[in-house]
Amino acid sequence: MQESNVKPFILFLRRIDLFSSVLHIIWALIISITIFADCGYLNIELPVIVSYVCTAVIVVLELLVKCYFFADISDKKRIIVYLSYNIFIPVIINFIMLACMDFLYDYSGVFLGGLGQWIIRMVGFGLYALALIVYGIVCFVRKRRRNLNKSFDTHRLIRIKDILNLWVVVILAAGAAYLLASFAVGGFEQYKEEERLQRLYSFRDEMLGKLPDDSYSALCGEAYMSVWMLQAMYNQAKDISLDDVEKENGNGFKLTKVRREVFEKGLSSYTEFLKKYKPEKEYIDNTENTSEPNVLFNPEDRTVHIGIGFFAKELLDGGSGLRSFVLKYDDEWNLIDIYFIPGDFNNRVLQ
């Protein structure tokens, strides 16, 4: 393959030795991780920016040492510099910091403090030893081939490096595309979430604006009253019936408005509910037997759901748990549905 026939881009990748450079950058990051392990627990406060700057310096020096070494890989001085920077000096630094851990680091109140650092440095020692072994094997193979008067096919090696360089470009491009796509999707999801919250807050403010000031407790009181009336009608209590429901509009119900049809449907749902569950208290009110009402505004269908939690036992196995009455209102505070959730209303299961 003639140089003039090689595409400029491939020549550029060959010139910067992309594959080898990426490997050395990764190795430099490993060196940085082992050195700065648990730096947040140092007795001397070390700003995060310092570790970032030092890591950048380690990476730059790594590339310079790499270029220096590969200019003549048989030169002993270059070999010493290369191995010292990549293996011997990091090992010495890690050994010193590990030996002086009690003096350099403060793990007060940290469970098994220092264990993570110890594991990272041990893994680092293993990688440094492996790197030295690999380098020794490469030198042994090169020396043996030289003694046998064998040489590597230079053109084949160049083609292999070109392929590796192109694969690195593909991987980096794919990684960059993934990050850009993730950023775009994350940004879009954040935009949609902000838009949803804006609609929610706008609808909430609109609905609360239709009520007198400081009427939240009164609103919850009317929700409790609806539940009490429903249970009273189920229990066939005196002086309360479906005929009396709408008469309370403007009396007991000043903020909300109720209808007979909604209570008829609610009674049917409550009857089905009691076939599976038994409330621990006959009538549900705002005592310790219930949880605080939860109000959920749904701008999608412009409804408001008020959930009142209460404890009830499951008839099948006797297990007790939190159940929920849910009262559903339209955007004019008309009660349009009463339904039940066999769980906590905070789970936001809406009908």
Side-chain angles (χ1 to χ4, degrees):
M1 183 185 299
Q2 297 295 322
E3 290 285 327
S4 57
N5 296 329
V6 180
K7 293 182 179 180
F9 182 63
I10 296 179
L11 275 176
F12 172 74
L13 297 180
R14 187 185 300 174
R15 189 178 306 114
I16 64 175
D17 197 7
L18 181 62
F19 178 73
S20 177
S21 296
V22 169
L23 290 182
H24 282 79
I25 290 173
I26 294 174
W27 185 254
L29 294 176
I30 292 174
I31 293 174
S32 178
I33 290 172
T34 59
I35 291 177
F36 290 101
D38 273 3
C39 62
Y41 293 102
L42 282 168
N43 285 319
I44 301 175
E45 185 176 351
L46 185 69
V48 176
I49 188 64
V50 173
S51 61
Y52 290 159
V53 171
C54 290
T55 299
V57 171
I58 291 173
V59 169
V60 172
L61 290 177
E62 175 70 31
L63 294 176
L64 293 176
V65 169
K66 185 212 87 167
C67 293
Y68 176 74
F69 170 70
F70 280 102
D72 184 0
I73 61 175
S74 62
D75 182 71
K76 291 184 179 180
K77 185 172 67 172
R78 297 174 188 268
I79 294 174
I80 293 173
V81 171
Y82 184 75
L83 292 180
S84 295
Y85 186 81
N86 286 286
I87 299 176
F88 301 138
I89 293 177
V91 166
I92 293 172
I93 294 175
N94 276 273
F95 180 78
I96 293 173
M97 299 187 77
L98 197 59
C100 301
M101 183 186 299
D102 293 337
F103 174 75
L104 295 174
Y105 298 87
D106 180 12
Y107 290 104
S108 301
V110 180
F111 180 68
L112 297 178
L115 179 61
Q117 177 183 171
W118 188 86
I119 292 175
I120 291 175
R121 296 195 192 281
M122 289 301 104
V123 172
F125 287 145
L127 291 175
Y128 296 137
L130 179 63
L132 188 60
I133 292 172
V134 170
Y135 178 79
I137 292 174
V138 171
C139 290
F140 175 78
V141 171
R142 290 176 60 86
K143 183 177 180 181
R144 185 169 181 81
R145 290 181 64 86
R146 187 167 56 249
N147 291 337
L148 295 175
N149 292 322
K150 293 183 178 180
S151 61
F152 292 100
D153 187 339
T154 303
H155 294 290
R156 184 179 181 183
L157 288 176
I158 291 176
R159 285 195 295 270
I160 292 175
K161 287 184 178 181
D162 289 340
I163 293 173
L164 293 175
N165 288 338
L166 290 174
W167 269 110
V168 171
V169 171
V170 170
I171 293 172
L172 291 177
Y178 174 78
L179 291 176
L180 287 174
S182 298
F183 179 78
V185 170
F188 179 74
E189 290 178 348
Q190 182 179 357
Y191 167 76
K192 296 298 290 184
E193 178 63 13
E194 290 175 353
E195 189 180 56
R196 184 190 70 82
L197 291 176
Q198 182 61 39
R199 292 198 308 271
L200 172 62
Y201 295 147
S202 177
F203 179 62
R204 180 197 64 182
D205 294 341
E206 175 189 345
M207 292 302 296
L208 294 179
K210 295 178 180 180
L211 300 175
D213 294 337
D214 302 325
S215 58
Y216 178 80
S217 60
L219 176 66
C220 293
E222 293 190 14
Y224 276 118
M225 182 177 175
S226 295
V227 171
W228 178 84
M229 290 181 67
L230 186 71
Q231 290 183 302
M233 283 185 282
Y234 176 83
N235 293 328
Q236 297 181 344
K238 293 181 180 181
D239 303 326
I240 184 70
S241 68
L242 282 171
D243 294 331
D244 299 317
V245 170
E246 294 180 342
K247 295 179 182 179
E248 291 300 321
N249 287 320
N251 296 315
F253 299 107
K254 298 182 182 299
L255 304 178
T256 61
K257 187 176 181 179
V258 300
R259 291 185 295 114
R260 175 192 178 103
E261 294 80 8
V262 176
F263 274 80
E264 285 180 341
K265 182 180 178 182
L267 274 173
S268 177
S269 298
Y270 189 51
T271 301
E272 292 299 317
F273 175 82
L274 293 180
K275 291 180 181 180
K276 297 181 180 179
Y277 304 96
K278 180 181 180 181
E280 294 184 0
K281 191 173 182 180
E282 184 178 8
Y283 289 100
I284 296 168
D285 52 30
N286 54 345
T287 64
E288 69 280 356
N289 189 255
T290 62
S291 63
E292 287 294 322
N294 289 301
V295 182
L296 177 64
F297 297 87
N298 187 358
E300 305 306 323
D301 62 359
R302 296 184 60 78
T303 60
V304 182
H305 301 247
I306 299 180
I308 299 176
F310 62 99
F311 289 92
K313 292 183 179 180
E314 192 166 356
L315 296 177
L316 186 62
D317 60 12
S320 180
L322 190 64
R323 323 298 174 186
S324 298
F325 273 93
V326 185
L327 297 99
K328 182 178 180 180
Y329 299 88
D330 65 13
D331 57 1
E332 293 298 330
W333 288 112
N334 297 309
L335 181 64
I336 58 176
D337 195 10
I338 301 175
Y339 62 96
F340 303 88
I341 295 177
D344 189 354
F345 179 67
N346 282 327
N347 292 333
R348 302 302 196 256
V349 181
L350 301 181
Q351 295 181 5

